[in-house]
């Protein structure tokens, strides 16, 4: 019987892909990067103003052993089990002010 081990980077990428599906369904622009020498990340951009963008990563939190989404600067967004909540948080951060 063969056993396939999934690396943490592959698991992180899978979480980012779930978030990407939710974001793209909401009209957001998302580019996922999974280079061999770097941790997977997703660049999320406001479709109306592409200059409003954020990097997102998925990280295995210790000691709980659960996954969470984080902004590129290190602030936690929410658990990876809640991609819709992460998408809502990103939408708030990346929304262009309409009252200006």
């Amino acid at each position: 019987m063969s056993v396939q081990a999934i690396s943490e980077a592959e698991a992180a990428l899978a979480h980012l892909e779930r978030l990407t599906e939710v974001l793209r369904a909401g009209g957001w622009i998302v580019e996922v990067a999974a280079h061999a020498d770097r941790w997977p990340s997703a660049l999320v951009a406001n479709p109306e103003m592409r200059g409003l963008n954020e990097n997102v990563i998925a990280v295995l939190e210790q000691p709980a052993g659960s996954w969470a989404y984080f902004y590129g600067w290190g602030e936690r967004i929410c658990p990876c089990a809640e991609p819709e909540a992460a998408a809502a948080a990103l939408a708030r951060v990346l929304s262009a002010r309409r009252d200006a």
Side-chain angles (χ1 to χ4, degrees), residues 22-43:
V22 173
L23 288 164
R24 286 185 177 153
W28 293 91
I29 298 168
V30 185
E31 294 180 24
V32 177
H35 302 286
D37 60 339
R38 294 190 321 197
W39 196 253
S41 64
L43 180 64

Side-chain angles (χ1 to χ4, degrees), residues 1 9 17 28 30 47 50 52 58 63 66-67 77 79 84 87 91 93 96 100:
M1 173 197 297
E17 287 172 348
W28 293 91
V30 185
R50 291 183 183 213
L52 291 176
S66 60
W67 286 85
I77 301 172
E84 292 83 5
V93 169

